[in-house]
Amino acid sequence: MLSRRRFIAQNSLLAFAAFVPTAKSKTYRMGYSAITWGGKDEQAIEELAELGYKGIQLRANTYGKYKDNSAALKQLMDAKGLSLVMFSSGNVEIDPAKKEANAAMHLNHARFVKALGGTSIQLTNSLRKNNVPPTADELARLGVAMNEIGALTKEIGIQATYHNHMNQYGETPEEVDALVQAMDPKYVRLLLDVAHYHQGGGKPAEAVIKYKKVLHSLHMKDVECPITGNTNPKSYKFVELGQGNVDLVGVFAALDKIKFAGWTIVELDGVPDKAKTPKQCAQISKDFLQGKIAYQF
């Protein structure tokens, strides 16, 4: 017979557990971007596999190296149990004189991705000119250009996604919203970068809920702002998960709420502390995910 005190304690734990998302309840998958390794993709594949990540994002530099030998790269990823979950395809041009060549570039990247067993490419856009926000017409034209590219890649089974970004046309939440409204979800879906969205003035957890119908994937990223020791209140740098200001716990709670079933991709543009290695940074983010988010690798 259980004592009354022990009975109450056990039932309290069961009641608490019912409201806490467990690793088994996670519906999303976890990948990692190779950008931190600065082009050393083979090393990134090796080390990310050792850490237990199951997906990898590669960049356009990989196309230049392996476009004529995609089978070798696929064999390397397959051997390490890594799937290509996203490919950084580059900027989208709205200049009529450049649009055709730009679309051809993205289509070539999409063919490369398909050969690697991937399903998605990431589109970004031009830098802001003299830090001037884009006009409504420029945002609309960007939406049209992305839709045109997405229609081309869809024909070969590759999904185009739009990545919001600081210092580009989609910096602020209002700009992101204008682009989402201009996107045709049959051809382009949203890759939400939570750190860029936060730094641009938005609340990424709210964006997850708002854009759940067009949300394809996420960049899980953190940002320190202002940078410690920097007198500029707007200074910022990207850091490992849990080391910055982004409400990542809130973001993951929102993903649990909508039962998001796509890929979340940890991204860190570069090693923030030169005394660390890319692998050590990836381990720090993994520790955060296991400890704070209860994600099981």
Side-chain angles (χ1 to χ4, degrees):
M1 295 289 290
L2 290 174
S3 69
R4 184 172 182 274
R5 179 179 296 178
R6 186 178 176 188
F7 176 81
I8 292 172
Q10 285 186 352
N11 278 274
S12 296
L13 287 172
L14 289 171
F16 175 74
F19 291 96
V20 178
T22 65
K24 291 183 179 179
S25 72
K26 305 301 183 185
T27 53
Y28 48 82
R29 292 167 289 176
M30 194 69 60
Y32 204 103
S33 176
I35 188 174
T36 326
W37 279 258
K40 298 178 181 178
D41 296 323
E42 298 82 3
Q43 181 181 348
I45 291 168
E46 179 80 24
E47 295 182 347
L48 288 175
E50 289 174 358
L51 289 173
Y53 289 94
K54 299 303 182 184
I56 189 169
Q57 175 167 351
L58 298 174
R59 305 183 74 207
N61 64 283
T62 314
Y63 175 77
K65 184 174 183 179
Y66 285 101
K67 64 180 179 179
D68 297 321
N69 192 14
S70 58
L73 180 57
K74 187 177 188 306
Q75 184 178 18
L76 178 60
M77 290 191 297
D78 288 347
K80 297 299 179 180
L82 283 175
S83 300
L84 178 62
V85 299
M86 186 59 65
F87 183 85
S88 305
S89 191
N91 290 347
V92 173
E93 295 286 352
I94 61 174
D95 182 346
K98 299 178 180 179
K99 282 182 66 176
E100 185 175 350
N102 184 246
M105 176 192 76
H106 290 297
L107 184 56
N108 283 335
H109 288 166
R111 293 187 180 112
F112 179 65
V113 168
K114 190 170 184 66
L116 294 173
T119 60
S120 312
I121 62 169
Q122 167 192 303
L123 306 176
T124 49
N125 55 92
S126 302
L127 293 174
R128 298 163 92 87
K129 299 173 183 177
N130 301 316
N131 204 31
V132 176
T135 65
D137 178 65
E138 287 173 323
L139 291 171
R141 287 163 57 199
L142 177 58
V144 169
M146 289 194 296
N147 289 336
E148 292 172 348
I149 291 167
L152 291 173
T153 64
K154 185 177 182 180
E155 289 183 0
I156 63 169
I158 298 298
Q159 176 68 58
T161 68
Y162 165 65
H163 176 305
N164 59 295
H165 207 290
M166 288 292 293
N167 302 316
Q168 295 188 357
Y169 281 7
E171 176 176 307
T172 68
E174 295 77 17
E175 292 166 12
V176 172
D177 192 64
L179 287 169
V180 170
Q181 300 308 318
M183 286 159 31
D184 185 335
K186 294 195 303 290
Y187 303 128
V188 185
R189 299 180 70 83
L190 179 63
L191 191 173
L192 178 66
D193 187 301
V194 300
H196 282 285
Y197 196 82
H198 168 90
Q199 193 61 28
K203 296 181 178 180
E206 294 180 3
V208 167
I209 305 298
K210 181 176 183 178
Y211 299 122
K212 63 182 180 180
K213 291 185 178 180
V214 297
L215 189 62
H216 175 274
S217 47
L218 298 95
H219 273 172
M220 282 301 163
K221 195 168 185 173
D222 211 346
V223 59
E224 177 187 332
C225 178
I227 299 173
T228 303
N230 195 313
T231 57
N232 179 2
K234 294 184 178 180
S235 65
Y236 68 92
K237 70 176 180 179
F238 297 114
V239 291
E240 303 93 339
L241 299 187
Q243 307 302 302
N245 312 116
V246 179
D247 177 20
L248 294 169
V249 172
V251 170
F252 279 106
L255 293 177
D256 288 331
K257 182 176 181 179
I258 67 172
K259 293 181 170 55
F260 179 70
W263 283 94
T264 59
I265 306 163
V266 182
E267 186 183 55
L268 181 61
D269 291 8
V271 176
D273 178 354
K274 299 307 178 185
K276 301 175 187 173
T277 66
K279 186 179 181 181
Q280 288 172 330
C281 293
Q283 180 68 59
I284 291 170
S285 290
K286 179 181 177 179
D287 292 342
F288 171 85
L289 292 166
Q290 289 181 311
K292 294 291 186 179
I293 310 302
Y295 188 84
Q296 182 175 326
F297 283 78

